[in-house]
């Protein structure tokens, strides 16, 4: 939490969470499927499988995925500290309240790490997508990035693009 607070300038309180505590409760999951227990168990299985896949992806790139509960302060879906040498280097923190699948958040965070750890790959990816990037001003507004440099807006867009592709079977084939 101190690192998030220092990085964002906003006091933030975080609590580490075990996967079992991040699974949707049967009561919450049943609210979406008309009360079927099987649907609740399926939602729990899907969340556990999503976390397992995201954790394996992070591990493949020598990172560790940590689930946290945000108890107040800076709001985020996922956060990493890609600068080498820091105590939190190689950790991705994912807020259990994120509306996004863990694979999407992990894919997004990989872009930020790629920029530091494999700058030539990052630049090649950036060059490849720039011809199709449109309306960065709309992206800037939608994601509350007013005043941020265009380079950061493009990096966030790249993270969203990669994260979203993580759920597509064709991406992995």
């Amino acid at each position: 939490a101190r690192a998030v607070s220092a990085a964002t300038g906003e006091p933030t309180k975080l609590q580490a969470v075990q996967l079992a505590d991040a699974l949707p409760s049967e009561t919450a999951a049943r609210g979406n499927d008309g009360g079927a227990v099987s649907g609740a168990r399926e939602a729990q299985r899907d969340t556990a499988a999503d976390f397992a896949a995201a954790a394996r992806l992070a591990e493949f790139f020598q990172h560790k995925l940590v689930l946290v509960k945000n108890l107040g302060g800076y709001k985020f879906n996922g956060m990493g500290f890609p600068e080498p040498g820091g105590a939190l280097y190689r950790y991705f923190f994912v807020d259990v309240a994120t509306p996004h699948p863990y694979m999407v958040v992990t894919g997004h965070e990989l872009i930020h790490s790629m920029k530091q750890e494999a700058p030539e790959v990052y630049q090649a990816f950036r060059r490849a997508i720039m011809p199709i990037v449109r309306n960065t001003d709309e992206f800037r507004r939608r994601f509350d990035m007013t005043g941020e440099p265009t380079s950061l807006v493009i990096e966030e867009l790249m993270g969203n693009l990669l994260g979203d592709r993580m759920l597509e079977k064709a991406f992995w084939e």
Side-chain angles (χ1 to χ4, degrees), residues 3-73:
V4 173
S5 298
T8 64
E10 188 172 337
T12 303
K13 295 177 85 175
L14 302 176
Q15 175 184 7
V17 176
Q18 298 295 317
L19 176 60
D21 297 325
L23 296 176
S25 70
E26 285 193 15
T27 303
R30 278 187 279 193
N32 293 332
D33 69 2
V37 173
S38 63
R41 290 191 183 125
E42 186 176 299
Q44 290 175 335
R45 216 175 21 255
D46 289 350
T47 300
D50 177 31
F51 177 79
R56 286 183 64 198
L57 178 66
E59 287 172 14
F60 181 80
F61 289 98
Q62 301 174 343
H63 286 73
K64 182 174 170 108
L65 198 60
V66 179
L67 295 176
V68 295
K69 182 176 183 180
N70 192 331
L71 302 175

